[in-house]
Amino acid sequence: MSPADFRRYALFYLGYYGALGAYTPYVGRWVAANGHSGYVVGAMLALWYGGRIVAPPTWARMSARSPSPGHWLVAGCVLSLLGFAAFAGFDAGMMLFVTMAWFGVFFNAVMPQFEAMTLSALGQRNHDYGLIRMWGSIGFLIVAGTYGWLLDRLGNDAFVWLTLPWLALTVFAAWLHRNDRPATVEAAPTSAEPLWRRPGARRLLLTAMLMQLGFGPFYVFYTLHLQAHGHGGFAVGMLWAIGVVCEIAMFYLAPRLVQRFGAHRLMTACILATMARWTMVALLGDSFAWMAVAQTGHALSFAAFHAGCMRRMAELFPVRRDMAAAQGLLYGFSGGIGGVAGAGLAALTWQAGGGELAFLSGAAIGIATLLAHTLALRAPRAAAAES
């Protein structure tokens, strides 16, 4: 990949995750400020993650058949921008949920396509994925670290207008890829069986889904949990920023860690660190210092885990024509099913016992995640012993 291509790919991640840096930490605050309950906040995020179930695989199939997949990327980003702009007029009632569904479908559709484009462009250097993805974390850092302070001063109504420029940047970055051609298909034959039946695929999908399920309280209620414990907008932004700084550092180190320890062992460490992290958030929410320590865990629980998943995806689906569909499958299972279930569980536990119960439930889900991942580790060894 040339330096010019690197910049093109990095710019898209910067814009996309910059928009996500506004949405993920602060949409719950915006919804709650408009007078809605925790159930409505949870329903909004469930619709968001629901878009990941339907949109990625459908979008991947259509874009993969197109001789101009870059045009699909541009179209998805434009429709995402228009969908989010509608929040300026619809902040209550049924249209709030319709707008959320529109935005969730198209915004979630484009990233699996772009992930596949990135991995295809990297080819055998897929271990360098973290160096490009790191720019998404930089965008997230800039926004998540400053918007809490900005919303304290400008008011929660500014949330939509502060987010739109990042979506516009995503449209511009997608335009730079408008003429990208479909990846050259290798001559090697591809198995005719469904992608999810590939050896190891279902276990990876289950592990990723459970990990996302445990993240439900964090993505839906972390900002509200901090506010409930007396932390102001500046402190909330700082805590989000700490997590993303550690995430950026990990994406920089991830290629070497994946090569040295392998994806399986690295993902095991990530799951254990995540269990400890949610326990700290649940029980020590009053302390900014302890929350800062917990946020350093984002390096493992998100960045390293994501890099490990991408390495496993490249190993499981080496033929490039399978990659877009496989990425859509991963997003549908993890971010889709896991995200919807996580948002629903978070809403129920939040209403029943506040942030403490919500985050303790996230830590408990880590046990199931570790079990699923351990089974994934043992399966290849058992198969090797039988052969």
Side-chain angles (χ1 to χ4, degrees):
M1 180 181 289
S2 69
D5 282 335
F6 183 95
R7 289 191 292 270
R8 283 196 308 139
Y9 283 90
L11 184 64
F12 187 87
Y13 281 107
L14 178 72
Y16 187 93
Y17 284 99
L20 199 63
Y23 180 84
T24 301
Y26 300 114
V27 68
R29 170 176 170 167
W30 178 70
V31 173
N34 288 326
H36 300 296
S37 69
Y39 288 126
V40 175
V41 176
M44 285 281 289
L45 270 295
L47 280 171
W48 158 260
Y49 288 115
R52 294 186 176 183
I53 299 175
V54 179
T58 304
W59 195 266
R61 284 195 299 270
M62 293 188 296
S63 62
R65 294 170 183 167
S66 172
S68 303
H71 292 173
W72 284 86
L73 184 69
V74 174
C77 292
V78 170
L79 291 169
S80 299
L81 173 64
L82 294 175
F84 196 87
F87 280 126
F90 304 112
D91 58 8
M94 184 56 65
M95 287 304 299
L96 174 66
F97 296 105
V98 172
T99 301
M100 180 68 258
W102 174 283
F103 173 65
V105 163
F106 291 107
F107 193 72
N108 284 312
V110 296
M111 182 47 71
Q113 178 194 0
F114 194 75
E115 294 271 44
M117 291 167 65
T118 303
L119 290 174
S120 178
L122 286 170
Q124 296 300 315
R125 295 186 59 83
N126 59 70
H127 54 275
D128 286 336
Y129 164 83
L131 299 178
I132 297 177
R133 174 60 179 78
M134 177 180 69
W135 286 93
S137 301
I138 292 173
F140 195 102
L141 169 64
I142 293 169
V143 177
T146 58
Y147 275 30
W149 177 84
L150 284 173
L151 292 175
D152 280 352
R153 279 146 186 79
L154 300 177
N156 291 300
D157 289 341
F159 166 72
V160 175
W161 304 107
L162 289 171
T163 307
L164 287 174
W166 290 95
L167 290 165
L169 177 59
T170 305
V171 172
F172 172 75
W175 182 256
L176 299 179
H177 290 271
R178 67 191 182 280
N179 294 321
D180 285 11
R181 311 308 299 171
T184 302
V185 178
E186 291 88 338
T190 301
S191 172
E193 65 182 349
L195 296 179
W196 60 273
R197 285 188 168 179
R198 297 282 180 87
R202 281 175 288 187
R203 295 182 181 89
L204 176 62
L205 293 173
L206 178 60
T207 300
M209 183 188 71
L210 290 171
M211 191 70 159
Q212 183 69 48
L213 178 64
F215 260 84
F218 179 72
Y219 286 138
V220 181
F221 290 113
Y222 182 63
T223 295
L224 296 178
H225 177 66
L226 293 175
Q227 289 181 321
H229 283 274
H231 301 289
F234 179 77
V236 171
M238 286 296 295
L239 288 169
W240 278 98
I242 289 169
V244 182
V245 167
C246 295
E247 174 187 320
I248 293 170
M250 179 55 72
F251 272 126
Y252 182 78
L253 296 172
R256 280 172 283 178
L257 292 177
V258 170
Q259 286 187 306
R260 179 174 180 180
F261 297 106
H264 280 301
R265 280 190 286 179
L266 185 61
M267 290 167 69
T268 300
C270 295
I271 295 167
L272 292 171
T274 303
M275 293 168 63
R277 179 187 180 190
W278 298 153
T279 302
M280 293 171 64
V281 173
L283 302 179
L284 302 169
D286 290 334
S287 169
F288 179 88
W290 278 112
M291 291 301 92
V293 172
Q295 279 296 84
T296 64
H298 203 62
L300 288 171
S301 58
F302 177 78
F305 186 84
H306 185 69
C309 280
M310 290 300 102
R311 166 55 74 89
R312 289 292 296 135
M313 291 292 286
E315 293 170 350
L316 291 170
F317 306 102
V319 179
R320 294 186 187 181
R321 66 184 173 190
D322 293 338
M323 183 55 71
Q327 286 290 339
L329 190 65
L330 178 65
Y331 268 66
F333 267 85
S334 63
I337 298 173
V340 170
L345 179 63
L348 291 173
T349 52
W350 175 270
Q351 290 293 127
E356 289 79 5
L357 181 60
F359 281 97
L360 284 175
S361 70
I365 291 166
I367 299 173
T369 310
L370 186 63
L371 178 62
H373 184 61
T374 301
L375 291 175
L377 282 171
R378 291 179 177 175
R381 296 171 185 169
E386 292 173 1
S387 61

